[in-house]
Amino acid sequence: MSMQAFGPPSTWPSQDLIAFSDEFDLPMTLAAYCSGAFPMPLHDASFDARMGWWSPMRRGIIELDDLRVTKSLLKSARHYTTTIDAAFDEVLERCAEPSRPFGWIDDDIREIFTQAHHEGVVHSVETWDSSGRLVGGLYGVSLWGLFAGESMFHDPERGRDASKVALVRLINELRGRPDGTALLDVQWLTDHLASLGASEISRADYLERLDVALQEPQTVWSALRLPGDWRMQRTA
C-alpha cells in the first residue's frame, strides 16, 4: 500500500511541486516514492529550502506494451550490448554532467541515489559499443512493481540511439517479472519520450496504479551482458 509521506493526496496543492524541505535522506526519499512523489532540487527557485518534492498533475508513464521500436532503431541496436548495474557510478556521472541542458542532478542527489544503489533499490542499465565504451544508459528507483526512471544519457558521437537501447533493455527486464507487468514512471512527458510510446495519466490515476504496484513482487534484476539486437528483436 502506498504511503503518505506528505499527508493525504487530497490535501496536496493543484500543482506539480507539492512540498519542499531542508531534510533530504534515503528514508525520506523512499517514503516519497511510495507516496507518489520524487525529489528534485530547487536550485533556481526563490525558496530557501534544500529540496523540492514533486508529484506532477499529469504524470508521464510508459506502458510496457506501448514502446515504439523503429526499424532504424532495430538496426542500430545490433552494434550495442547492454548490462545491468555494471557501471552505475559512471552512468550517474554522465547523467549529471553540468553541460547538459536543464541539469538538476547535484551532489545531494548523487549521494542519496548512490546510497540507494548500494541498498539495492536503485539500478542502472548500461549500453556499450563494439569497442567496450559506455555510450548510453539510464538509472531509476525499483520498488516492488514500480520502476521510477530518473535520468538517461547517450553519447552524441558514438551512441546516437544508446539511451533508447537501454530503455528497451529496461522494459524487457520489467516484462520478465512474474506478472509480466510494472508501473514505469518517467515523471513528465517530453516529445522525446512520447516518440518512444510514453503517455500521460492524471495524478489520481497514477496514485491508484502506484498502490497496486507496491503490493506486487520485487523485480529481480539480471546482470547478464546481452546483445542489443537480441533484446530488441524480442521486444519487437
Side-chain angles (χ1 to χ4, degrees), residues 179-190:
D179 55 6
T181 188
L183 176 57
L184 177 50
D185 170 21
V186 295
Q187 300 179 346
W188 285 287
L189 184 65
T190 65

Side-chain angles (χ1 to χ4, degrees), residues 4-232:
Q4 295 182 352
F6 304 101
S10 60
T11 67
W12 295 357
S14 297
Q15 61 184 35
D16 292 358
L17 178 62
I18 63 167
F20 47 89
S21 69
D22 287 324
E23 179 186 358
F24 181 53
D25 57 23
L26 182 55
M28 184 175 186
T29 299
L30 298 182
Y33 280 98
C34 291
S35 301
F38 55 85
M40 186 171 288
L42 297 169
H43 293 151
D44 300 320
S46 58
F47 304 109
D48 292 331
R50 178 182 181 190
M51 190 60 60
W53 300 94
W54 307 77
S55 181
M57 296 294 293
R58 301 294 300 172
R59 192 74 166 232
I61 65 167
I62 299 179
E63 306 284 7
L64 301 190
D65 291 336
D66 287 351
L67 178 68
R68 295 174 189 162
V69 179
T70 64
K71 290 182 179 179
S72 63
L73 180 55
L74 284 169
K75 182 178 180 180
S76 176
R78 297 189 180 102
H79 301 286
Y80 302 117
T81 57
T82 58
T83 54
I84 302 291
D85 290 335
F88 172 80
D89 290 341
E90 191 170 351
V91 169
L92 182 59
E93 185 74 20
R94 298 287 290 274
C95 287
E97 287 180 0
S99 60
R100 297 186 69 184
F102 310 109
W104 57 274
I105 301 173
D106 62 9
D107 289 344
D108 286 340
I109 292 287
R110 291 163 71 169
E111 178 183 353
I112 294 303
F113 279 79
T114 298
Q115 182 181 348
H117 173 66
H118 293 158
E119 294 292 331
V121 294
V122 166
H123 296 275
S124 60
V125 182
E126 301 87 21
T127 304
W128 310 84
D129 69 7
S130 58
S131 298
R133 294 173 295 204
L134 181 68
V135 292
L138 60 83
Y139 75 94
V141 178
S142 176
L143 295 168
W144 297 283
L146 167 70
F147 188 89
E150 287 297 305
S151 187
M152 59 199 310
F153 84 94
H154 72 279
D155 184 317
E157 296 183 2
R158 300 188 178 98
R160 185 187 64 178
D161 292 326
S163 62
K164 298 177 183 178
V165 174
L167 178 62
V168 173
R169 173 71 188 271
L170 168 66
I171 288 178
N172 274 305
E173 292 293 323
L174 297 177
R175 282 177 172 172
R177 289 169 41 80
D179 55 6
T181 188
L183 176 57
L184 177 50
D185 170 21
V186 295
Q187 300 179 346
W188 285 287
L189 184 65
T190 65
D191 291 343
H192 173 66
L193 290 172
S195 72
L196 296 171
S199 57
E200 284 184 328
I201 59 176
S202 69
R203 176 192 283 171
D205 287 344
Y206 176 80
L207 294 177
E208 288 183 5
R209 292 185 60 172
L210 176 64
D211 190 68
V212 173
L214 295 181
Q215 298 179 60
E216 295 175 353
Q218 180 66 44
T219 301
V220 177
W221 296 93
S222 168
L224 295 175
R225 187 180 186 94
L226 296 171
D229 58 343
W230 185 86
R231 295 306 261 180
M232 297 294 292

